[in-house]
Structures are given as structure tokens and as C-alpha cells.
Amino acid sequence: MKTSTIDEMKAIIAEHGKWLRGEGGTRADLSGATLRPEARTLPSVFASAHADLAIVDALCDTLAADPLLLSPTRFHHSVHNAASGYWAIASGCTAPSSAVAADRHSFAAGWIEAATLMAAEQHPVLLVGFDTEACGRLQAVNDSRGLLGVALVLSPRAGPRSTHALRWQLHAAGEAGTPAATTPLRSAAALALAGNAMADALPLMELLAGARPGRVQLALGGGGALGLTRE
């Protein structure tokens, strides 16, 4: 697998254009009975720091107590790409799908993956971010709290259901005028979810929920940052 440097990513953005459209805003219909036909054609990126922590905790307990009782079904549900697999089953989607994890920067990493794919293929891409609450013994080593899920469709051009136009930009560590921290949360609703591992999605959700243009920044590992501007 080839990884791209910040400079290479910037070159991709410059070549294919920095504009993208978020179709559907913060709403997503995941009901298999009511999915629009085009949903089945969307490549997807599922971002999660830890996936289903309750199942992981149960598996660890069983392994410690009696490994012979380990449930194959629970093991199947514990893999990081289980959510993307169930999305494909529910929607009938056969398009490519990726599962991305980057600890507390997972939504930002998922955005880069989805937006780069969108720009390179010139095709809409579904981006989903989710995380659960740590439970049982995992709470001693994992501080994710509450439940949080977000979904967007990123498109290289405006469509009949487009609701937002966003410009995105990558910043290398130490780049002049670029703070390393994620934009602070403002609303009580967002602050109530700040303990979840997917909380780096919340600054963008606050921006999209408002009526005015603005900019947010999401920290990346290694001191880099992802800038998102709504115009």
C-alpha cells in the first residue's frame, strides 16, 4: 500500500480541484427499504477509532475466562470493517469500501480518504464516522464515552440535493499560521458528545448546522491539520 505525503496530497487536490459538495448535509437514510437507488452505487469510507467496543470487551472477557466459548458471530462483528459490510448487505451496494482508523483523528483521516477518492474518480463518495462507548474492563484503558455517528455524501459537483459547498486544505506540521489544535466546540449538544472517540467530527457538524459561512480545523496525527471552509 502506497502512502502519500502532505505535498503529494496537495498536488492531488490542485490537479482535481478543491471544491466538493456535501449532499444531504448531516442526514443519512440507512433504511434498506427506503434507500435511493443511487446509494447502491456509492463507494464508501467508514471511519472509526475503535469500532464496536462492547463486542471487543465481551470477546476479551471470554478469551480470559474460557476461550472455547468464544462466539464466531461475535468475532465476526468485532472486525473493524463490520459496519461497512452490513451497509453493503442492507443497501445492496457492490462499490468499493474502505475502513479507516486514526485514534482521535479518525474522522479527519476518513475525510481525506473519501475526498481524495472523490477527486481522483470524479464520483460521489459516502463518508461515515462512528464510535461507541468503552465498557467493562476496557474503560480502564479507553476513554470513549457515549454514542456518535455522522454521515455525508461528498460529490465533485453540485447535485439537486446538494446543501453545502466546502473547500478543504491540508496543512503540514509547523506550517505558518496554522494552529495544531482542533477547533473548539461551542454548542451544548456538541460538548455533551465531546468524550466520544469520533468527536473530531463535531466541529464540522456545528459549522454545517449554522447558517453562516465559516472555517473549522481538525487536527491530524504528527502535528498536521485538515482545514474545512464553508462558503
Side-chain angles (χ1 to χ4, degrees):
M1 178 180 294
K2 183 182 184 296
T3 57
S4 298
T5 65
I6 292 291
D7 287 340
E8 289 171 335
M9 293 289 288
K10 286 182 175 180
I12 292 173
I13 298 168
E15 179 181 354
H16 294 286
K18 296 180 181 179
W19 285 98
L20 58 87
R21 304 276 174 170
E23 294 187 2
T26 59
R27 302 181 299 277
D29 184 355
L30 300 184
S31 170
T34 58
L35 284 169
R36 298 187 179 100
E38 62 267 27
R40 300 179 175 88
T41 70
L42 292 176
S44 59
V45 175
F46 282 72
S48 180
H50 310 296
D52 196 327
L53 288 172
I55 291 178
V56 174
D57 179 70
L59 285 175
C60 291
D61 271 349
T62 304
L63 283 171
D66 191 344
L68 294 178
L69 296 179
L70 191 66
S71 165
T73 301
R74 278 187 168 175
F75 178 78
H76 172 77
H77 290 167
S78 72
V79 297
H80 193 262
N81 64 344
S84 64
Y86 280 113
W87 158 255
I89 293 170
S91 65
C93 182
T94 58
S97 182
S98 300
V100 176
D103 196 38
R104 290 283 176 167
H105 312 302
S106 293
F107 180 77
W111 178 282
I112 294 171
E113 178 81 8
T116 302
L117 177 62
M118 175 213 69
E121 299 295 333
Q122 288 295 291
H123 191 281
V125 175
L126 170 67
L127 170 60
V128 178
F130 70 96
D131 264 298
T132 63
E133 180 167 352
C135 60
R137 291 178 175 86
L138 279 182
Q139 286 187 324
V141 295
N142 190 303
D143 61 357
S144 183
R145 298 294 180 264
L147 302 173
L148 179 57
V150 301
L152 299 162
V153 174
L154 311 184
S155 176
R157 59 192 62 84
R161 290 187 299 275
S162 294
T163 58
H164 306 289
L166 298 172
R167 184 185 294 271
W168 64 292
Q169 185 176 12
L170 288 173
H171 301 281
E175 188 173 315
T178 304
T182 294
T183 300
L185 301 175
R186 303 184 307 276
S187 67
L191 289 168
L193 294 166
N196 187 272
M198 190 48 55
D200 70 322
L202 294 174
L204 176 59
M205 297 303 108
E206 284 192 316
L207 178 63
L208 297 182
R212 298 180 179 179
R215 184 182 187 279
V216 295
Q217 181 165 288
L218 310 182
L220 297 169
L226 169 66
L228 297 168
T229 303
R230 176 186 180 187
E231 298 187 355

